[in-house]
């Protein structure tokens, strides 16, 4: 229904340097962002759109041209200026670049790029290794260190570690590297043993915190020295489902149905439950922003609904044979696009379903294409 509009949003955001987060010149969105351009490029691969795939290659090259000496990939590039994060660095930027570069190579069979990027990918993976800090296998992210840069999760974050598994898996496949394959398998097992209750006898990363954590129908959001953040992280769980992690999908689907009943719609919040001013974690939100405070209850990262991660959720559930909820999410999103404008805004508030944030966002257009992928 809105496929042409979604493709138009993405194509307007393609520049000589690659895929911009948005064609709108607001804040710093008209830049080549690692996570935005890689996810949009992967969406292009999934729908076999050559224009987007070609722009993905430009994005890969633009970002790696500014790779730091330690192997870190910029969060974004504008002209000849690279940003690695303002208040803190962005751990997921480097991981998404590895994932996207490998996805491009696997799809196009580009042997020259494969050879040219080998050292760069190794260097990026080496950088990620140093961010374990304790050499125990899980990546450590600072507060504000990934896409949810104004939110409260930090430490051993589910989302970042699931992405790192994907990076290992892809690089192992591209370069036929058994050591990387083993690292991928170890990382996946470590996540499954530490971010949900299970019967495994494997030693836990934080034994004391693990014993105190409550069983949930999803993977916990993060682990820190002071214990678990048991919140629901839609992005981390959606990607874990897409990548085949062991999760009770019947129990997970029941949880999503409960969310639907609570909010009375299918625009699932990206983090749940919502943080309110009277909650302890409100203190972590209040000052963590760059331009203006966006994380009011039901907004932005604090319970806003992001079509990009709903897209990954739909992809993952359908891949695993669960088709009912993805169809409900798609129908809900198309209804909102019809009623409240099809300009692909950044997110929706989950109290009143108001489209908010930046307009013409490739993130949201890509999320829609992912939802529609079996209908294109």
């Amino acid at each position: 229904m809105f496929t042409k509009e979604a493709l138009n949003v993405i194509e307007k955001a393609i520049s000589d340097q690659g895929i911009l987060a948005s064609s709108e010149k607001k804040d710093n969105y008209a830049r080549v962002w690692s996570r935005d351009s890689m996810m949009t490029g992967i969406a292009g691969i999934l729908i076999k759109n050559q224009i987007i795939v070609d722009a993905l290659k430009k994005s890969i090259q633009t970002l790696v041209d500014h790779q730091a000496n330690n192997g870190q990939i910029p969060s974004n590039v504008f002209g000849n200026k690279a940003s690695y994060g303002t208040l803190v660095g962005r751990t997921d930027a480097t991981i998404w670049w590895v994932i996207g570069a490998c996805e491009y190579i696997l799809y196009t069979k580009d042997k020259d790029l494969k050879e040219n990027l080998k050292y760069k990918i190794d260097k990026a993976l080496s950088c990620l290794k140093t961010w374990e800090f304790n050499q125990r296998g899980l990546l450590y992210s600072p507060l504000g260190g990934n896409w949810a840069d104004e939110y409260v999760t930090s430490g051993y974050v589910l989302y970042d570690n699931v992405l790192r598994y994907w990076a290992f898996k892809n690089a192992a496949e591209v370069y036929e590297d058994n050591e990387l394959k083993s690292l991928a398998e170890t990382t996946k097992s470590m996540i499954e043993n530490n971010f949900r209750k299970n019967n495994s006898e494997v030693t836990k990363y934080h034994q004391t915190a693990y014993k105190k954590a409550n069983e949930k129908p999803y993977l916990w959001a993060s682990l820190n020295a002071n214990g678990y953040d048991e919140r629901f992280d839609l992005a981390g769980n959606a990607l874990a489902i897409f990548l085949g992690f062991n999760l009770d999908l019947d129990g997970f689907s029941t949880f999503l149905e409960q969310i639907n009943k609570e909010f009375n719609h299918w625009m699932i919040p990206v983090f749940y439950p919502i943080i309110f001013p009277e909650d302890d974690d409100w203190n972590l939100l209040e000052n963590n922003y760059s331009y203006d405070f966006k994380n009011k209850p039901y907004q932005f990262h604090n319970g806003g609904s992001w079509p990009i991660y709903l897209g990954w959720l739909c992809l993952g559930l359908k891949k695993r044979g669960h088709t009912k909820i993805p169809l409900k999410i798609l129908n809900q999103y198309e209804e909102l696009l019809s009623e409240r404008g099809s300009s692909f805004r950044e997110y929706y508030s989950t109290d009143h379903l108001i489209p908010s944030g930046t307009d013409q966002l490739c993130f949201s257009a890509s999320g829609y294409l992912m939802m529609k992928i079996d209908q294109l």
Side-chain angles (χ1 to χ4, degrees), residues 76-202:
N76 63 79
V77 173
F78 177 67
N80 290 317
K81 184 179 179 181
S83 170
Y84 302 87
T86 305
L87 299 177
V88 296
R90 307 286 184 247
T91 51
D92 62 335
T94 299
I95 319 173
W96 270 118
W97 179 82
V98 174
I99 293 167
C102 290
E103 288 288 338
Y104 177 87
I105 293 167
L106 289 168
Y107 179 72
T108 62
K109 307 293 190 292
D110 189 327
K111 293 181 180 179
D112 289 338
L113 191 66
K114 174 182 174 180
E115 182 179 341
N116 292 340
L117 290 185
K118 176 68 168 66
Y119 172 73
K120 301 289 190 179
I121 288 173
D122 285 346
K123 199 172 178 182
L125 292 175
S126 177
C127 175
L128 296 174
K129 177 65 178 175
T130 66
W131 292 344
E132 288 178 15
F133 293 115
N134 59 7
Q135 303 299 308
R136 290 183 63 197
L138 289 178
L139 188 70
Y140 192 94
S141 300
L143 185 71
N146 60 28
W147 86 274
D149 53 351
E150 297 180 6
Y151 197 59
V152 302
T153 48
S154 67
Y156 305 104
V157 177
L158 172 69
Y159 162 87
D160 296 309
N161 281 285
V162 168
L163 286 180
R164 192 183 183 205
Y165 157 75
W166 193 1
F168 280 142
K169 176 178 173 291
N170 275 9
E173 186 175 353
V174 167
Y175 295 104
E176 299 175 337
D177 188 314
N178 287 329
E179 183 178 347
L180 289 176
K181 183 180 179 183
S182 177
L183 282 170
E185 292 167 354
T186 299
T187 302
K188 185 178 183 183
S189 177
M190 191 171 290
I191 292 168
E192 290 173 339
N193 279 313
N194 284 282
F195 286 85
R196 62 179 172 87
K197 289 289 187 181
N198 57 60
N199 297 320
S200 170
E201 296 298 320
V202 176

Side-chain angles (χ1 to χ4, degrees), residues 30-93:
R31 301 180 182 186
V32 176
W33 288 77
S34 178
R35 72 180 73 90
D36 297 63
S37 60
M38 295 302 108
M39 282 196 240
T40 303
I42 291 169
I45 289 173
L46 290 169
I47 64 172
K48 297 180 171 57
N49 182 294
Q50 195 59 45
I51 293 174
I52 300 174
V53 172
D54 289 344
L56 172 59
K57 184 177 183 179
K58 291 180 181 178
S59 304
I60 292 165
Q61 194 61 57
T62 293
L63 290 161
V64 80
D65 284 348
H66 296 273
Q67 186 175 33
N69 290 334
N70 68 343
Q72 185 176 359
I73 296 295
S75 175
N76 63 79
V77 173
F78 177 67
N80 290 317
K81 184 179 179 181
S83 170
Y84 302 87
T86 305
L87 299 177
V88 296
R90 307 286 184 247
T91 51
D92 62 335

Side-chain angles (χ1 to χ4, degrees), residues 17-35:
Q17 287 192 300
I19 306 168
L20 309 178
S22 171
S23 59
E24 295 285 296
K25 292 178 171 58
K26 176 188 175 184
D27 294 344
N28 53 9
Y29 284 83
R31 301 180 182 186
V32 176
W33 288 77
S34 178
R35 72 180 73 90

Side-chain angles (χ1 to χ4, degrees), residues 232 234 256 259-260 266-270 304-306 310 329 350:
F232 172 60
L234 173 61
L256 294 182
I259 294 283
N260 163 251
W266 277 104
M267 300 302 286
I268 306 296
V270 76
S305 183
W306 292 64
L310 290 176
I329 291 172
T350 48

Side-chain angles (χ1 to χ4, degrees), residues 8-15 18-24 360 362:
N8 185 51
V9 165
I10 294 171
E11 289 174 12
K12 283 198 305 182
I14 292 174
S15 71
I19 306 168
L20 309 178
S22 171
S23 59
E24 295 285 296
Q360 303 288 305
C362 287

